[in-house]
Amino acid sequence: MEEREVVAMLLAGGRGTRLGLLTDDIAKPALPFGGKYRIIDFTLSNCSNSGIHTVGVLTQYRPMTLTSYIGIGSAWDLDKAMDRAGGGVTILPPYINKDGGQWYSGTANSIYQNIEYIDQHDPEHVLILSGDHIYRMNYQGLIDHHKKMQADVTISVLRVPWEEANRFGIMNTDEEGRIVEFQEKPEKPKSNQASMGIYVFDWQVLRQQLIEDEAKEDSSHDFGKDIIPQLLEKNKKLYAYNFSGYWKDVGTVKSYWEANMDLLVKDFIFDLFDRKWIFRSENYKVAPKYVGESAEISSGLISDGCKILGKVEKTVVFPEVFIGKEARIIDSVIMPRVQIGEDVVIEKTIVGEGCIVEDGVEILKCPEGEINVITHQSRIIKSQNDPKGYEIRRRDEA
């Protein structure tokens, strides 16, 4: 196997419990996003655009959709690296061997169980990434900084509002950017430099620490909670790398909805149309979109295969969606193959893939400001008991 400077390991096994109904039957990184993408498209595209073509994708929860979607990485041009002595994308689920096996029990444990995969590429550095973040980043800048500082570990950080700093792992640094203290979701943060969950490790340093951590019975085998504090205790050289672009952890219903709405802001910093940094996805092979004479669209992402006859305002519409006459869809995310009837009103709602919303249904925004979520493959009908209400049933239910 050819030696490589960098191997990327992409953590994509999480369920995303805070996304509730949206991830009941699909892994969080496979969740549709932004009209034509899935969440994992952004990290895979960042790898390809940064010239990193050896990527291990660690799957566990509901892996089938993710595995079939990624395939051999053709959509992101990562399959071309397969000709270069074993590069490209490799799906890495938990496995058993002669001694048995176990599920991944933490982010660090998932990398520990794949030491053999990394060893066969003999890299100098290992880039640890998450498959559930929306951002644009050239990882070469991070890696160059790591090499310049001769670091053992370099962690990408983002300055967040002080009032939100207690939601993140916080890195406290000296004047040269060397990390001197890590605070996990502190009540009283000493800085507002939040970890983005993006790490570059010297592979031999990480390899040794993973082995030691695995032997600790009291460890949760987590990078933030265990590996980083352990390396600080050893006085290893950990540096922060400042990132100033857009970055969003879409781990909750609210943040997922907000990230979709962010794409609709005029002159938004995150440009999906920049030909110099293309975000790639597995394309839907469907007909062009059709916008009827009765349709009105303002500030919307409308995908191919859609047929729009009603009003769409500040909404992301995925492929093959039908919106009937006199329907009004506002501040919402409509996932693929949703059928919306006539005279329907939908406000501030995420409608799951394959749903049917029957004529006359009104799904109004919650008074408390929460986001409505309709689970995939549901049928929404007018309530038989409340003239203004609605009922949610399974799509195949009478």
Side-chain angles (χ1 to χ4, degrees), residues 157-166 168-173 183 186 189-195 242-243:
V157 299
L158 179 74
R159 291 195 181 276
V160 297
W162 277 95
E163 61 271 22
E164 296 181 16
N166 59 2
F168 296 90
I170 295 298
M171 302 294 167
N172 300 316
T173 59
Q183 296 177 286
K190 297 178 182 177
S191 84
N192 63 343
Q193 296 183 112
S195 170
N242 291 303
F243 177 76

mmCIF file with all atom_site columns, all heavy atoms in Angstrom, residues 157-166 168-173 183 186 189-195 242-243:
data_model
loop_
_atom_site.group_PDB
_atom_site.id
_atom_site.type_symbol
_atom_site.label_atom_id
_atom_site.label_alt_id
_atom_site.label_comp_id
_atom_site.label_asym_id
_atom_site.label_entity_id
_atom_site.label_seq_id
_atom_site.pdbx_PDB_ins_code
_atom_site.Cartn_x
_atom_site.Cartn_y
_atom_site.Cartn_z
_atom_site.occupancy
_atom_site.B_iso_or_equiv
_atom_site.pdbx_formal_charge
_atom_site.auth_seq_id
_atom_site.auth_comp_id
_atom_site.auth_asym_id
_atom_site.auth_atom_id
_atom_site.pdbx_PDB_model_num
ATOM 1   N N   . VAL A 1 157 ? -10.794 25.723 15.707 1.00 0.00 ? 157 VAL A N   1
ATOM 2   C CA  . VAL A 1 157 ? -11.682 26.385 16.661 1.00 0.00 ? 157 VAL A CA  1
ATOM 3   C C   . VAL A 1 157 ? -12.386 27.560 15.995 1.00 0.00 ? 157 VAL A C   1
ATOM 4   O O   . VAL A 1 157 ? -11.896 28.148 15.026 1.00 0.00 ? 157 VAL A O   1
ATOM 5   C CB  . VAL A 1 157 ? -10.927 26.885 17.914 1.00 0.00 ? 157 VAL A CB  1
ATOM 6   C CG1 . VAL A 1 157 ? -10.292 25.724 18.652 1.00 0.00 ? 157 VAL A CG1 1
ATOM 7   C CG2 . VAL A 1 157 ? -9.884  27.932 17.552 1.00 0.00 ? 157 VAL A CG2 1
ATOM 8   N N   . LEU A 1 158 ? -13.526 27.876 16.544 1.00 0.00 ? 158 LEU A N   1
ATOM 9   C CA  . LEU A 1 158 ? -14.354 28.969 16.036 1.00 0.00 ? 158 LEU A CA  1
ATOM 10  C C   . LEU A 1 158 ? -14.781 29.830 17.212 1.00 0.00 ? 158 LEU A C   1
ATOM 11  O O   . LEU A 1 158 ? -15.213 29.298 18.238 1.00 0.00 ? 158 LEU A O   1
ATOM 12  C CB  . LEU A 1 158 ? -15.595 28.387 15.349 1.00 0.00 ? 158 LEU A CB  1
ATOM 13  C CG  . LEU A 1 158 ? -16.603 29.356 14.761 1.00 0.00 ? 158 LEU A CG  1
ATOM 14  C CD1 . LEU A 1 158 ? -16.049 29.983 13.479 1.00 0.00 ? 158 LEU A CD1 1
ATOM 15  C CD2 . LEU A 1 158 ? -17.920 28.627 14.449 1.00 0.00 ? 158 LEU A CD2 1
ATOM 16  N N   . ARG A 1 159 ? -14.635 31.140 17.070 1.00 0.00 ? 159 ARG A N   1
ATOM 17  C CA  . ARG A 1 159 ? -15.098 32.016 18.156 1.00 0.00 ? 159 ARG A CA  1
ATOM 18  C C   . ARG A 1 159 ? -16.622 32.108 18.111 1.00 0.00 ? 159 ARG A C   1
ATOM 19  O O   . ARG A 1 159 ? -17.197 32.454 17.087 1.00 0.00 ? 159 ARG A O   1
ATOM 20  C CB  . ARG A 1 159 ? -14.464 33.400 18.035 1.00 0.00 ? 159 ARG A CB  1
ATOM 21  C CG  . ARG A 1 159 ? -12.963 33.384 18.325 1.00 0.00 ? 159 ARG A CG  1
ATOM 22  C CD  . ARG A 1 159 ? -12.414 34.775 18.563 1.00 0.00 ? 159 ARG A CD  1
ATOM 23  N NE  . ARG A 1 159 ? -10.977 34.740 18.811 1.00 0.00 ? 159 ARG A NE  1
ATOM 24  C CZ  . ARG A 1 159 ? -10.426 34.495 19.998 1.00 0.00 ? 159 ARG A CZ  1
ATOM 25  N NH1 . ARG A 1 159 ? -11.196 34.295 21.041 1.00 0.00 ? 159 ARG A NH1 1
ATOM 26  N NH2 . ARG A 1 159 ? -9.118  34.459 20.141 1.00 0.00 ? 159 ARG A NH2 1
ATOM 27  N N   . VAL A 1 160 ? -17.257 31.754 19.217 1.00 0.00 ? 160 VAL A N   1
ATOM 28  C CA  . VAL A 1 160 ? -18.716 31.771 19.302 1.00 0.00 ? 160 VAL A CA  1
ATOM 29  C C   . VAL A 1 160 ? -19.129 32.871 20.261 1.00 0.00 ? 160 VAL A C   1
ATOM 30  O O   . VAL A 1 160 ? -18.318 33.359 21.061 1.00 0.00 ? 160 VAL A O   1
ATOM 31  C CB  . VAL A 1 160 ? -19.245 30.398 19.803 1.00 0.00 ? 160 VAL A CB  1
ATOM 32  C CG1 . VAL A 1 160 ? -18.890 29.297 18.822 1.00 0.00 ? 160 VAL A CG1 1
ATOM 33  C CG2 . VAL A 1 160 ? -18.709 30.076 21.203 1.00 0.00 ? 160 VAL A CG2 1
ATOM 34  N N   . PRO A 1 161 ? -20.383 33.325 20.196 1.00 0.00 ? 161 PRO A N   1
ATOM 35  C CA  . PRO A 1 161 ? -20.845 34.328 21.172 1.00 0.00 ? 161 PRO A CA  1
ATOM 36  C C   . PRO A 1 161 ? -20.614 33.829 22.605 1.00 0.00 ? 161 PRO A C   1
ATOM 37  O O   . PRO A 1 161 ? -20.849 32.657 22.902 1.00 0.00 ? 161 PRO A O   1
ATOM 38  C CB  . PRO A 1 161 ? -22.342 34.454 20.849 1.00 0.00 ? 161 PRO A CB  1
ATOM 39  C CG  . PRO A 1 161 ? -22.455 34.066 19.407 1.00 0.00 ? 161 PRO A CG  1
ATOM 40  C CD  . PRO A 1 161 ? -21.428 32.987 19.205 1.00 0.00 ? 161 PRO A CD  1
ATOM 41  N N   . TRP A 1 162 ? -20.186 34.732 23.459 1.00 0.00 ? 162 TRP A N   1
ATOM 42  C CA  . TRP A 1 162 ? -19.859 34.324 24.832 1.00 0.00 ? 162 TRP A CA  1
ATOM 43  C C   . TRP A 1 162 ? -21.032 33.633 25.523 1.00 0.00 ? 162 TRP A C   1
ATOM 44  O O   . TRP A 1 162 ? -20.852 32.691 26.288 1.00 0.00 ? 162 TRP A O   1
ATOM 45  C CB  . TRP A 1 162 ? -19.419 35.550 25.633 1.00 0.00 ? 162 TRP A CB  1
ATOM 46  C CG  . TRP A 1 162 ? -17.965 35.886 25.422 1.00 0.00 ? 162 TRP A CG  1
ATOM 47  C CD1 . TRP A 1 162 ? -17.454 36.788 24.542 1.00 0.00 ? 162 TRP A CD1 1
ATOM 48  C CD2 . TRP A 1 162 ? -16.848 35.297 26.098 1.00 0.00 ? 162 TRP A CD2 1
ATOM 49  N NE1 . TRP A 1 162 ? -16.084 36.810 24.611 1.00 0.00 ? 162 TRP A NE1 1
ATOM 50  C CE2 . TRP A 1 162 ? -15.674 35.911 25.575 1.00 0.00 ? 162 TRP A CE2 1
ATOM 51  C CE3 . TRP A 1 162 ? -16.708 34.339 27.089 1.00 0.00 ? 162 TRP A CE3 1
ATOM 52  C CZ2 . TRP A 1 162 ? -14.404 35.573 26.002 1.00 0.00 ? 162 TRP A CZ2 1
ATOM 53  C CZ3 . TRP A 1 162 ? -15.439 33.996 27.530 1.00 0.00 ? 162 TRP A CZ3 1
ATOM 54  C CH2 . TRP A 1 162 ? -14.302 34.612 26.990 1.00 0.00 ? 162 TRP A CH2 1
ATOM 55  N N   . GLU A 1 163 ? -22.249 34.114 25.237 1.00 0.00 ? 163 GLU A N   1
ATOM 56  C CA  . GLU A 1 163 ? -23.414 33.534 25.913 1.00 0.00 ? 163 GLU A CA  1
ATOM 57  C C   . GLU A 1 163 ? -23.689 32.096 25.470 1.00 0.00 ? 163 GLU A C   1
ATOM 58  O O   . GLU A 1 163 ? -24.455 31.373 26.119 1.00 0.00 ? 163 GLU A O   1
ATOM 59  C CB  . GLU A 1 163 ? -24.664 34.396 25.691 1.00 0.00 ? 163 GLU A CB  1
ATOM 60  C CG  . GLU A 1 163 ? -25.097 34.553 24.246 1.00 0.00 ? 163 GLU A CG  1
ATOM 61  C CD  . GLU A 1 163 ? -24.440 35.741 23.549 1.00 0.00 ? 163 GLU A CD  1
ATOM 62  O OE1 . GLU A 1 163 ? -23.366 36.181 24.028 1.00 0.00 ? 163 GLU A OE1 1
ATOM 63  O OE2 . GLU A 1 163 ? -24.989 36.211 22.543 1.00 0.00 ? 163 GLU A OE2 1
ATOM 64  N N   . GLU A 1 164 ? -23.046 31.656 24.358 1.00 0.00 ? 164 GLU A N   1
ATOM 65  C CA  . GLU A 1 164 ? -23.240 30.284 23.889 1.00 0.00 ? 164 GLU A CA  1
ATOM 66  C C   . GLU A 1 164 ? -22.033 29.389 24.176 1.00 0.00 ? 164 GLU A C   1
ATOM 67  O O   . GLU A 1 164 ? -22.055 28.198 23.881 1.00 0.00 ? 164 GLU A O   1
ATOM 68  C CB  . GLU A 1 164 ? -23.507 30.282 22.374 1.00 0.00 ? 164 GLU A CB  1
ATOM 69  C CG  . GLU A 1 164 ? -24.794 30.990 21.977 1.00 0.00 ? 164 GLU A CG  1
ATOM 70  C CD  . GLU A 1 164 ? -25.026 30.942 20.479 1.00 0.00 ? 164 GLU A CD  1
ATOM 71  O OE1 . GLU A 1 164 ? -24.358 30.120 19.814 1.00 0.00 ? 164 GLU A OE1 1
ATOM 72  O OE2 . GLU A 1 164 ? -25.863 31.714 19.983 1.00 0.00 ? 164 GLU A OE2 1
ATOM 73  N N   . ALA A 1 165 ? -20.976 29.966 24.730 1.00 0.00 ? 165 ALA A N   1
ATOM 74  C CA  . ALA A 1 165 ? -19.728 29.221 24.905 1.00 0.00 ? 165 ALA A CA  1
ATOM 75  C C   . ALA A 1 165 ? -19.902 27.998 25.808 1.00 0.00 ? 165 ALA A C   1
ATOM 76  O O   . ALA A 1 165 ? -19.179 26.996 25.654 1.00 0.00 ? 165 ALA A O   1
ATOM 77  C CB  . ALA A 1 165 ? -18.644 30.136 25.468 1.00 0.00 ? 165 ALA A CB  1
ATOM 78  N N   . ASN A 1 166 ? -20.864 28.040 26.723 1.00 0.00 ? 166 ASN A N   1
ATOM 79  C CA  . ASN A 1 166 ? -21.050 26.898 27.637 1.00 0.00 ? 166 ASN A CA  1
ATOM 80  C C   . ASN A 1 166 ? -21.685 25.695 26.957 1.00 0.00 ? 166 ASN A C   1
ATOM 81  O O   . ASN A 1 166 ? -21.868 24.652 27.573 1.00 0.00 ? 166 ASN A O   1
ATOM 82  C CB  . ASN A 1 166 ? -21.876 27.313 28.858 1.00 0.00 ? 166 ASN A CB  1
ATOM 83  C CG  . ASN A 1 166 ? -23.245 27.848 28.478 1.00 0.00 ? 166 ASN A CG  1
ATOM 84  O OD1 . ASN A 1 166 ? -23.602 27.877 27.303 1.00 0.00 ? 166 ASN A OD1 1
ATOM 85  N ND2 . ASN A 1 166 ? -24.005 28.265 29.469 1.00 0.00 ? 166 ASN A ND2 1
ATOM 86  N N   . PHE A 1 168 ? -20.220 24.362 24.272 1.00 0.00 ? 168 PHE A N   1
ATOM 87  C CA  . PHE A 1 168 ? -19.153 23.757 23.471 1.00 0.00 ? 168 PHE A CA  1
ATOM 88  C C   . PHE A 1 168 ? -17.976 23.311 24.341 1.00 0.00 ? 168 PHE A C   1
ATOM 89  O O   . PHE A 1 168 ? -17.872 23.692 25.506 1.00 0.00 ? 168 PHE A O   1
ATOM 90  C CB  . PHE A 1 168 ? -18.632 24.786 22.449 1.00 0.00 ? 168 PHE A CB  1
ATOM 91  C CG  . PHE A 1 168 ? -19.653 25.220 21.436 1.00 0.00 ? 168 PHE A CG  1
ATOM 92  C CD1 . PHE A 1 168 ? -20.468 26.318 21.679 1.00 0.00 ? 168 PHE A CD1 1
ATOM 93  C CD2 . PHE A 1 168 ? -19.806 24.529 20.235 1.00 0.00 ? 168 PHE A CD2 1
ATOM 94  C CE1 . PHE A 1 168 ? -21.413 26.722 20.744 1.00 0.00 ? 168 PHE A CE1 1
ATOM 95  C CE2 . PHE A 1 168 ? -20.739 24.928 19.305 1.00 0.00 ? 168 PHE A CE2 1
ATOM 96  C CZ  . PHE A 1 168 ? -21.547 26.026 19.551 1.00 0.00 ? 168 PHE A CZ  1
ATOM 97  N N   . GLY A 1 169 ? -17.099 22.528 23.718 1.00 0.00 ? 169 GLY A N   1
ATOM 98  C CA  . GLY A 1 169 ? -15.785 22.283 24.296 1.00 0.00 ? 169 GLY A CA  1
ATOM 99  C C   . GLY A 1 169 ? -14.932 23.503 24.000 1.00 0.00 ? 169 GLY A C   1
ATOM 100 O O   . GLY A 1 169 ? -14.811 23.925 22.860 1.00 0.00 ? 169 GLY A O   1
ATOM 101 N N   . ILE A 1 170 ? -14.359 24.093 25.056 1.00 0.00 ? 170 ILE A N   1
ATOM 102 C CA  . ILE A 1 170 ? -13.648 25.365 24.913 1.00 0.00 ? 170 ILE A CA  1
ATOM 103 C C   . ILE A 1 170 ? -12.141 25.149 25.056 1.00 0.00 ? 170 ILE A C   1
ATOM 104 O O   . ILE A 1 170 ? -11.681 24.470 25.971 1.00 0.00 ? 170 ILE A O   1
ATOM 105 C CB  . ILE A 1 170 ? -14.145 26.378 25.967 1.00 0.00 ? 170 ILE A CB  1
ATOM 106 C CG1 . ILE A 1 170 ? -15.617 26.723 25.701 1.00 0.00 ? 170 ILE A CG1 1
ATOM 107 C CG2 . ILE A 1 170 ? -13.292 27.638 25.963 1.00 0.00 ? 170 ILE A CG2 1
ATOM 108 C CD1 . ILE A 1 170 ? -15.885 27.385 24.372 1.00 0.00 ? 170 ILE A CD1 1
ATOM 109 N N   . MET A 1 171 ? -11.391 25.742 24.127 1.00 0.00 ? 171 MET A N   1
ATOM 110 C CA  . MET A 1 171 ? -9.937  25.656 24.147 1.00 0.00 ? 171 MET A CA  1
ATOM 111 C C   . MET A 1 171 ? -9.351  26.970 24.657 1.00 0.00 ? 171 MET A C   1
ATOM 112 O O   . MET A 1 171 ? -9.590  28.024 24.069 1.00 0.00 ? 171 MET A O   1
ATOM 113 C CB  . MET A 1 171 ? -9.403  25.382 22.726 1.00 0.00 ? 171 MET A CB  1
ATOM 114 C CG  . MET A 1 171 ? -9.949  24.122 22.099 1.00 0.00 ? 171 MET A CG  1
ATOM 115 S SD  . MET A 1 171 ? -9.401  22.635 22.970 1.00 0.00 ? 171 MET A SD  1
ATOM 116 C CE  . MET A 1 171 ? -10.502 21.404 22.243 1.00 0.00 ? 171 MET A CE  1
ATOM 117 N N   . ASN A 1 172 ? -8.592  26.883 25.740 1.00 0.00 ? 172 ASN A N   1
ATOM 118 C CA  . ASN A 1 172 ? -7.889  28.053 26.260 1.00 0.00 ? 172 ASN A CA  1
ATOM 119 C C   . ASN A 1 172 ? -6.428  27.987 25.817 1.00 0.00 ? 172 ASN A C   1
ATOM 120 O O   . ASN A 1 172 ? -5.761  26.962 25.986 1.00 0.00 ? 172 ASN A O   1
ATOM 121 C CB  . ASN A 1 172 ? -7.985  28.088 27.791 1.00 0.00 ? 172 ASN A CB  1
ATOM 122 C CG  . ASN A 1 172 ? -9.426  28.170 28.253 1.00 0.00 ? 172 ASN A CG  1
ATOM 123 O OD1 . ASN A 1 172 ? -10.224 28.933 27.712 1.00 0.00 ? 172 ASN A OD1 1
ATOM 124 N ND2 . ASN A 1 172 ? -9.790  27.346 29.240 1.00 0.00 ? 172 ASN A ND2 1
ATOM 125 N N   . THR A 1 173 ? -5.948  29.067 25.209 1.00 0.00 ? 173 THR A N   1
ATOM 126 C CA  . THR A 1 173 ? -4.628  29.054 24.574 1.00 0.00 ? 173 THR A CA  1
ATOM 127 C C   . THR A 1 173 ? -3.732  30.144 25.142 1.00 0.00 ? 173 THR A C   1
ATOM 128 O O   . THR A 1 173 ? -4.207  31.119 25.746 1.00 0.00 ? 173 THR A O   1
ATOM 129 C CB  . THR A 1 173 ? -4.761  29.269 23.057 1.00 0.00 ? 173 THR A CB  1
ATOM 130 O OG1 . THR A 1 173 ? -5.406  30.532 22.820 1.00 0.00 ? 173 THR A OG1 1
ATOM 131 C CG2 . THR A 1 173 ? -5.595  28.163 22.422 1.00 0.00 ? 173 THR A CG2 1
ATOM 132 N N   . GLN A 1 183 ? -11.856 22.916 28.361 1.00 0.00 ? 183 GLN A N   1
ATOM 133 C CA  . GLN A 1 183 ? -13.033 22.909 29.223 1.00 0.00 ? 183 GLN A CA  1
ATOM 134 C C   . GLN A 1 183 ? -14.200 22.330 28.434 1.00 0.00 ? 183 GLN A C   1
ATOM 135 O O   . GLN A 1 183 ? -14.566 22.862 27.383 1.00 0.00 ? 183 GLN A O   1
ATOM 136 C CB  . GLN A 1 183 ? -13.389 24.334 29.672 1.00 0.00 ? 183 GLN A CB  1
ATOM 137 C CG  . GLN A 1 183 ? -12.364 25.025 30.541 1.00 0.00 ? 183 GLN A CG  1
ATOM 138 C CD  . GLN A 1 183 ? -12.810 26.456 30.856 1.00 0.00 ? 183 GLN A CD  1
ATOM 139 O OE1 . GLN A 1 183 ? -12.758 27.344 30.017 1.00 0.00 ? 183 GLN A OE1 1
ATOM 140 N NE2 . GLN A 1 183 ? -13.266 26.656 32.089 1.00 0.00 ? 183 GLN A NE2 1
ATOM 141 N N   . PRO A 1 186 ? -18.212 24.312 29.779 1.00 0.00 ? 186 PRO A N   1
ATOM 142 C CA  . PRO A 1 186 ? -18.016 24.899 31.124 1.00 0.00 ? 186 PRO A CA  1
ATOM 143 C C   . PRO A 1 186 ? -19.117 25.875 31.503 1.00 0.00 ? 186 PRO A C   1
ATOM 144 O O   . PRO A 1 186 ? -19.654 26.590 30.656 1.00 0.00 ? 186 PRO A O   1
ATOM 145 C CB  . PRO A 1 186 ? -16.680 25.639 30.965 1.00 0.00 ? 186 PRO A CB  1
ATOM 146 C CG  . PRO A 1 186 ? -16.654 26.020 29.520 1.00 0.00 ? 186 PRO A CG  1
ATOM 147 C CD  . PRO A 1 186 ? -17.324 24.894 28.766 1.00 0.00 ? 186 PRO A CD  1
ATOM 148 N N   . PRO A 1 189 ? -16.894 29.720 31.080 1.00 0.00 ? 189 PRO A N   1
ATOM 149 C CA  . PRO A 1 189 ? -15.800 29.578 30.111 1.00 0.00 ? 189 PRO A CA  1
ATOM 150 C C   . PRO A 1 189 ? -14.762 30.688 30.248 1.00 0.00 ? 189 PRO A C   1
ATOM 151 O O   . PRO A 1 189 ? -15.105 31.839 30.504 1.00 0.00 ? 189 PRO A O   1
ATOM 152 C CB  . PRO A 1 189 ? -16.533 29.665 28.765 1.00 0.00 ? 189 PRO A CB  1
ATOM 153 C CG  . PRO A 1 189 ? -17.814 30.353 29.058 1.00 0.00 ? 189 PRO A CG  1
ATOM 154 C CD  . PRO A 1 189 ? -18.192 29.973 30.447 1.00 0.00 ? 189 PRO A CD  1
ATOM 155 N N   . LYS A 1 190 ? -13.492 30.299 30.049 1.00 0.00 ? 190 LYS A N   1
ATOM 156 C CA  . LYS A 1 190 ? -12.411 31.287 30.126 1.00 0.00 ? 190 LYS A CA  1
ATOM 157 C C   . LYS A 1 190 ? -12.114 31.912 28.764 1.00 0.00 ? 190 LYS A C   1
ATOM 158 O O   . LYS A 1 190 ? -11.380 32.891 28.670 1.00 0.00 ? 190 LYS A O   1
ATOM 159 C CB  . LYS A 1 190 ? -11.142 30.621 30.672 1.00 0.00 ? 190 LYS A CB  1
ATOM 160 C CG  . LYS A 1 190 ? -11.300 30.093 32.087 1.00 0.00 ? 190 LYS A CG  1
ATOM 161 C CD  . LYS A 1 190 ? -10.033 29.396 32.544 1.00 0.00 ? 190 LYS A CD  1
ATOM 162 C CE  . LYS A 1 190 ? -10.201 28.826 33.951 1.00 0.00 ? 190 LYS A CE  1
ATOM 163 N NZ  . LYS A 1 190 ? -8.988  28.071 34.387 1.00 0.00 ? 190 LYS A NZ  1
ATOM 164 N N   . SER A 1 191 ? -12.609 31.300 27.702 1.00 0.00 ? 191 SER A N   1
ATOM 165 C CA  . SER A 1 191 ? -12.485 31.893 26.374 1.00 0.00 ? 191 SER A CA  1
ATOM 166 C C   . SER A 1 191 ? -13.727 31.500 25.573 1.00 0.00 ? 191 SER A C   1
ATOM 167 O O   . SER A 1 191 ? -14.573 30.748 26.063 1.00 0.00 ? 191 SER A O   1
ATOM 168 C CB  . SER A 1 191 ? -11.214 31.404 25.659 1.00 0.00 ? 191 SER A CB  1
ATOM 169 O OG  . SER A 1 191 ? -11.431 30.168 25.014 1.00 0.00 ? 191 SER A OG  1
ATOM 170 N N   . ASN A 1 192 ? -13.828 32.024 24.356 1.00 0.00 ? 192 ASN A N   1
ATOM 171 C CA  . ASN A 1 192 ? -14.964 31.648 23.496 1.00 0.00 ? 192 ASN A CA  1
ATOM 172 C C   . ASN A 1 192 ? -14.485 30.920 22.253 1.00 0.00 ? 192 ASN A C   1
ATOM 173 O O   . ASN A 1 192 ? -15.144 30.945 21.226 1.00 0.00 ? 192 ASN A O   1
ATOM 174 C CB  . ASN A 1 192 ? -15.789 32.882 23.128 1.00 0.00 ? 192 ASN A CB  1
ATOM 175 C CG  . ASN A 1 192 ? -14.992 33.904 22.319 1.00 0.00 ? 192 ASN A CG  1
ATOM 176 O OD1 . ASN A 1 192 ? -13.768 33.865 22.292 1.00 0.00 ? 192 ASN A OD1 1
ATOM 177 N ND2 . ASN A 1 192 ? -15.696 34.815 21.680 1.00 0.00 ? 192 ASN A ND2 1
ATOM 178 N N   . GLN A 1 193 ? -13.305 30.269 22.348 1.00 0.00 ? 193 GLN A N   1
ATOM 179 C CA  . GLN A 1 193 ? -12.790 29.478 21.236 1.00 0.00 ? 193 GLN A CA  1
ATOM 180 C C   . GLN A 1 193 ? -13.355 28.063 21.321 1.00 0.00 ? 193 GLN A C   1
ATOM 181 O O   . GLN A 1 193 ? -12.886 27.244 22.119 1.00 0.00 ? 193 GLN A O   1
ATOM 182 C CB  . GLN A 1 193 ? -11.256 29.426 21.264 1.00 0.00 ? 193 GLN A CB  1
ATOM 183 C CG  . GLN A 1 193 ? -10.600 30.775 21.070 1.00 0.00 ? 193 GLN A CG  1
ATOM 184 C CD  . GLN A 1 193 ? -9.097  30.651 21.039 1.00 0.00 ? 193 GLN A CD  1
ATOM 185 O OE1 . GLN A 1 193 ? -8.460  30.849 20.031 1.00 0.00 ? 193 GLN A OE1 1
ATOM 186 N NE2 . GLN A 1 193 ? -8.520  30.295 22.171 1.00 0.00 ? 193 GLN A NE2 1
ATOM 187 N N   . ALA A 1 194 ? -14.360 27.780 20.504 1.00 0.00 ? 194 ALA A N   1
ATOM 188 C CA  . ALA A 1 194 ? -15.058 26.496 20.573 1.00 0.00 ? 194 ALA A CA  1
ATOM 189 C C   . ALA A 1 194 ? -14.447 25.488 19.616 1.00 0.00 ? 194 ALA A C   1
ATOM 190 O O   . ALA A 1 194 ? -14.138 25.814 18.463 1.00 0.00 ? 194 ALA A O   1
ATOM 191 C CB  . ALA A 1 194 ? -16.529 26.698 20.238 1.00 0.00 ? 194 ALA A CB  1
ATOM 192 N N   . SER A 1 195 ? -14.292 24.270 20.098 1.00 0.00 ? 195 SER A N   1
ATOM 193 C CA  . SER A 1 195 ? -13.814 23.188 19.229 1.00 0.00 ? 195 SER A CA  1
ATOM 194 C C   . SER A 1 195 ? -14.879 22.862 18.190 1.00 0.00 ? 195 SER A C   1
ATOM 195 O O   . SER A 1 195 ? -16.061 22.741 18.495 1.00 0.00 ? 195 SER A O   1
ATOM 196 C CB  . SER A 1 195 ? -13.513 21.938 20.059 1.00 0.00 ? 195 SER A CB  1
ATOM 197 O OG  . SER A 1 195 ? -13.282 20.832 19.208 1.00 0.00 ? 195 SER A OG  1
ATOM 198 N N   . ASN A 1 242 ? -7.497  28.821 14.011 1.00 0.00 ? 242 ASN A N   1
ATOM 199 C CA  . ASN A 1 242 ? -8.686  29.677 13.998 1.00 0.00 ? 242 ASN A CA  1
ATOM 200 C C   . ASN A 1 242 ? -9.394  29.624 12.654 1.00 0.00 ? 242 ASN A C   1
ATOM 201 O O   . ASN A 1 242 ? -8.784  29.855 11.612 1.00 0.00 ? 242 ASN A O   1
ATOM 202 C CB  . ASN A 1 242 ? -8.299  31.120 14.331 1.00 0.00 ? 242 ASN A CB  1
ATOM 203 C CG  . ASN A 1 242 ? -7.865  31.265 15.773 1.00 0.00 ? 242 ASN A CG  1
ATOM 204 O OD1 . ASN A 1 242 ? -8.607  30.942 16.685 1.00 0.00 ? 242 ASN A OD1 1
ATOM 205 N ND2 . ASN A 1 242 ? -6.636  31.726 15.978 1.00 0.00 ? 242 ASN A ND2 1
ATOM 206 N N   . PHE A 1 243 ? -10.689 29.321 12.702 1.00 0.00 ? 243 PHE A N   1
ATOM 207 C CA  . PHE A 1 243 ? -11.534 29.283 11.514 1.00 0.00 ? 243 PHE A CA  1
ATOM 208 C C   . PHE A 1 243 ? -12.566 30.394 11.657 1.00 0.00 ? 243 PHE A C   1
ATOM 209 O O   . PHE A 1 243 ? -13.165 30.571 12.725 1.00 0.00 ? 243 PHE A O   1
ATOM 210 C CB  . PHE A 1 243 ? -12.223 27.917 11.415 1.00 0.00 ? 243 PHE A CB  1
ATOM 211 C CG  . PHE A 1 243 ? -13.170 27.785 10.261 1.00 0.00 ? 243 PHE A CG  1
ATOM 212 C CD1 . PHE A 1 243 ? -12.681 27.608 8.975  1.00 0.00 ? 243 PHE A CD1 1
ATOM 213 C CD2 . PHE A 1 243 ? -14.543 27.843 10.454 1.00 0.00 ? 243 PHE A CD2 1
ATOM 214 C CE1 . PHE A 1 243 ? -13.552 27.488 7.901  1.00 0.00 ? 243 PHE A CE1 1
ATOM 215 C CE2 . PHE A 1 243 ? -15.423 27.715 9.389  1.00 0.00 ? 243 PHE A CE2 1
ATOM 216 C CZ  . PHE A 1 243 ? -14.917 27.536 8.110  1.00 0.00 ? 243 PHE A CZ  1
#
